[in-house]
Amino acid sequence: MKNIIRKDLYRYIGEDCNSNFWLTRYVLFTAGFRYIYFYRHAQYAKSAITRLFWTFLLRQCMLRTGIQIPAQTKIGEGFRIVHFGHIVINPEAIIGKNFNISQGCLIGNSQGKKSGVPTIGDNVCMNANSVIVGGVTIGDNVLIAPNAFINFDVPSNSIVIGNPAKIIAKNNPTAKYIVYPIID
């Protein structure tokens, strides 16, 4: 778990992520990272008592920041909340590594033809007020523009823009947005 938290911190500051000073600073003064810190601890808690403790802190952080990402949500390493506030992610969503999310975003379920929850690949950047709903698949290296509404599958190496959303194919569109990516 500590390794995953350090990788999440790496997405914020790069090589200084192994410093306890910077870890403490980001937990205390960066609301998005504080939420990630509590989220990872609640997710990987070994006993019921520690899980309850971290879930309580996660809940308090949720009430203060408006971020609602349950500990059951599967998010890969290198998770970065770029701007906090009113972020909602369904607990059944599956998200890959190096994921950026901004304020006002929603990843949720829907009913009907595309019922279910989204599956999101690696190196995806979700900008302000964008929405992904339904049992859709978002490929790797996808940039989702502000205010985009997505309820269909998106191929890798794409930019999604507008409402109704349009796909623009582009080679590695997230290169400028995914700073300090986790590379395995």
Side-chain angles (χ1 to χ4, degrees):
M1 177 203 40
K2 286 184 180 184
N3 188 31
I4 292 175
I5 291 172
R6 294 294 181 174
K7 288 181 179 182
D8 292 334
L9 182 60
Y10 177 81
R11 293 290 321 290
Y12 283 83
I13 60 174
E15 294 298 325
D16 290 334
C17 66
N18 291 319
S19 165
N20 286 331
F21 169 77
W22 287 108
L23 177 66
T24 304
R25 182 190 178 283
Y26 271 78
V27 168
L28 293 176
F29 300 115
T30 305
F33 184 75
R34 180 181 316 121
Y35 193 92
I36 292 169
Y37 185 81
F38 294 156
Y39 160 78
R40 296 293 189 197
H41 276 88
Q43 188 177 42
Y44 292 108
K46 300 225 186 273
S47 71
I49 300 287
T50 57
R51 185 175 301 110
L52 180 65
F53 172 75
W54 289 109
T55 302
F56 174 77
L57 291 178
L58 184 68
R59 179 80 175 159
Q60 292 302 311
C61 193
M62 180 203 76
L63 294 172
R64 291 181 184 192
T65 62
I67 301 170
Q68 296 179 34
I69 307 170
Q72 304 91 307
T73 309
K74 293 179 178 75
I75 301 175
E77 57 197 18
F79 178 35
R80 184 172 187 220
I81 298 173
V82 181
H83 300 289
F84 77 92
H86 304 291
I87 296 170
V88 179
I89 300 179
N90 187 288
E92 296 176 14
I94 299 172
I95 301 170
K97 66 181 182 179
N98 295 326
F99 179 67
N100 283 8
I101 192 166
S102 295
Q103 75 279 8
C105 291
L106 167 71
I107 300 172
N109 68 338
S110 73
Q111 305 301 317
K113 246 182 2 178
K114 287 280 190 174
S115 65
V117 294
T119 300
I120 300 173
D122 297 338
N123 303 316
V124 173
C125 181
M126 203 172 164
N127 286 298
N129 301 315
S130 55
V131 175
I132 304 172
V133 293
V136 299
T137 301
I138 308 296
D140 298 337
N141 301 315
V142 173
L143 175 64
I144 301 168
N147 298 313
F149 178 81
I150 302 167
N151 62 351
F152 54 85
D153 292 343
V154 177
S156 295
N157 296 308
S158 301
I159 298 174
V160 183
I161 189 166
N163 185 2
K166 295 180 178 103
I167 297 174
I168 301 169
K170 185 172 182 185
N171 190 21
N172 200 11
T174 59
K176 292 181 183 177
Y177 297 93
I178 304 290
V179 294
Y180 304 119
I182 303 298
I183 301 169
D184 290 329

